[in-house]
Amino acid sequence: MRPATAAAAAVTTLIGVGAAAVAAGRYASDVALRASSGHPLPGDPRLTVHATGPERITLTRSLASLRPGTYGVAAPGLHAVVGPVLDRVPHTADTVVRRLERVELGTLGTGARVRLTPQLHVGTPLTAFGLPYEDVEIPGELGPLPAWLVPAPRATWVIALHGLGTTREHPLNLVPFLARRKVPVLVPAYRGDAGAPASPDGLAHLGDSEWRDVDAAIRYAVRRGAAKVVLHGWGTGASMALRAAAESGVRDRIAGLVLDSPVLARETTLRNLATAHRIPGVLLPLAVRAARAMTGMPAGRSPAAPAAADPRVPTLILHGPDDTLAPWEPSVELAARRPGLVTLVTVRHAPHAAMWNADPLRYEEAVRRFLTPLM
């Protein structure tokens, strides 16, 4: 083969390999970021229901089924709630028995394949708790955003922001606690959620575009009479709250932030999502690069611009070392960097966005102490 021909062949081969690598990276990135609203994030295994009885359920024994606290049990057409592990109840070596609190949807039968979820409730504030609420529409950048407004007399509102892979039913866990303290709660859907406009590219941006819907929610709350707002976000909802606090045109109305499992190291979270989706390790660097190109995600560990990594309002972080999607260490670093302004409550034995589930009373007491001077 002549040198020129050999060189041309080599270039063609490299171009082909490069194109294949780009395509593979885009595929991996798409898989990681195209998490549908309401579909559980990957990570925890499916568990088999081995038996049910009065106020008890027997599940496959695993680290997930042994976690302390209160969790939802979910499958298509099924939602139930389980409480603590019942150690003294007889069971086989490969099972665990937990207290069955209630079945909210469907029939919980032997052989069902389920996942644990931090979401405890299905429905609305009225159907879940008997709390009066309004179905409202927030004018968003891409179109109207449906939201629940639970009215109360205080002038400082809480805007509750769910994270990737969940819906606005997840923040219902905290609504009764806030309602008892007479705090108005606005629970919006945002781009990509059911009933809300789709993201233009169909992908989640880990808060980098979704924060604009938070900005719209703040403006709506102010128009409805809120003097101040506290943004309470889970996972990517926490990242959206941070970004809004840094860049919203009405950020002066934000009195504080409550961040549950914040995504502060986006590249690590993207890698973790891709890994949980069983994307081969060789594709992970390509997935990160593709995600940056596809979503405009800047490089670095902060949730958005550098200013967002250093909040200027009182901030409560609830996070722990057992979060396998959003690493805990950046939360520790953020609290150490802004002592006096940022408070970290470390929650152990809790997966991503489930800090409340591990110990509801401790969680709510931390939030109560944080909110009281902001009301």
Side-chain angles (χ1 to χ4, degrees):
M1 183 180 295
R2 295 180 179 178
T5 304
V11 169
T12 301
T13 300
L14 287 174
I15 291 173
V17 171
V22 169
R26 287 180 175 174
Y27 165 76
S29 176
D30 185 87
V31 169
L33 291 176
R34 202 176 291 277
S36 300
S37 172
H39 287 69
L41 293 175
D44 285 346
R46 290 188 182 274
L47 306 172
T48 299
V49 177
H50 293 271
T52 60
E55 299 183 350
R56 66 183 60 177
I57 181 173
T58 304
L59 297 167
T60 305
R61 191 176 190 87
S62 71
L63 292 176
S65 61
L66 286 167
R67 286 188 188 119
T70 303
Y71 289 87
V73 170
L78 170 66
H79 191 90
V81 178
V82 298
V85 174
L86 303 176
D87 290 321
R88 298 184 180 181
V89 176
H91 57 85
T92 61
D94 60 348
T95 62
V96 61
V97 180
R98 300 188 71 120
R99 188 169 69 211
L100 179 61
E101 304 285 356
R102 62 186 182 274
V103 178
E104 292 205 336
L105 177 67
T107 301
L108 187 61
T110 300
R113 299 279 286 168
V114 300
R115 292 186 189 272
L116 295 187
T117 169
Q119 177 185 318
L120 261 60
H121 305 282
V122 294
T124 68
L126 180 63
T127 60
F129 314 113
L131 287 173
Y133 78 101
E134 296 179 46
D135 276 313
V136 301
E137 280 193 347
I138 297 169
E141 177 185 54
L142 301 178
L145 305 169
W148 296 319
L149 173 58
V150 181
R154 292 192 186 273
T156 299
W157 292 27
V158 167
I159 299 178
L161 307 165
H162 72 84
L164 190 65
T166 63
T167 71
R168 54 188 167 134
E169 290 172 313
H170 181 200
L172 286 177
N173 291 357
L174 212 62
V175 165
F177 160 80
L178 295 168
R180 289 194 298 271
R181 281 149 186 84
K182 311 300 183 185
V183 179
V185 188
L186 182 64
V187 188
Y190 56 85
R191 62 190 67 190
D193 285 350
S199 174
D201 59 9
L203 300 178
H205 290 200
L206 302 185
D208 279 352
S209 63
E210 296 89 347
W211 76 269
R212 297 185 183 92
D213 295 338
V214 181
D215 175 78
I218 299 169
R219 294 173 187 273
Y220 177 86
V222 171
R223 288 196 299 271
R224 289 292 303 265
K228 296 286 184 179
V229 302
V230 173
L231 304 180
H232 189 143
W234 286 257
T236 53
S239 300
M240 292 156 55
L242 272 168
R243 184 74 178 265
E247 299 196 29
S248 170
V250 287
R251 58 186 177 274
D252 60 307
R253 299 297 189 120
I254 301 174
L257 304 173
V258 181
L259 311 177
D260 184 315
S261 314
V263 176
L264 299 178
R266 289 167 303 178
E267 291 187 8
T268 303
T269 295
L270 179 61
R271 285 172 176 267
N272 290 342
L273 283 169
T275 299
H277 278 291
R278 300 181 179 179
I279 296 298
V282 69
L283 295 182
L284 296 182
L286 299 173
V288 171
R289 287 199 292 270
R292 289 181 191 163
M294 294 165 68
T295 67
M297 182 189 302
R301 297 185 61 184
S302 68
D310 288 305
R312 299 182 180 182
V313 296
T315 300
L316 173 65
I317 301 177
L318 302 115
H319 207 175
D322 300 288
D323 187 338
T324 59
L325 289 180
W328 170 64
E329 290 79 8
S331 291
V332 177
E333 294 170 10
L334 176 55
R337 191 165 64 245
R338 302 302 302 271
L341 190 67
V342 178
T343 301
L344 172 65
V345 174
T346 298
V347 182
R348 300 187 183 276
H349 311 299
H352 181 68
M355 304 301 121
W356 179 89
N357 303 79
D359 192 341
L361 293 179
R362 179 171 176 244
Y363 188 106
E364 291 179 2
E365 178 60 16
V367 174
R368 185 193 68 79
R369 289 175 178 270
F370 177 77
L371 289 180
T372 296
L374 303 180
M375 290 293 105

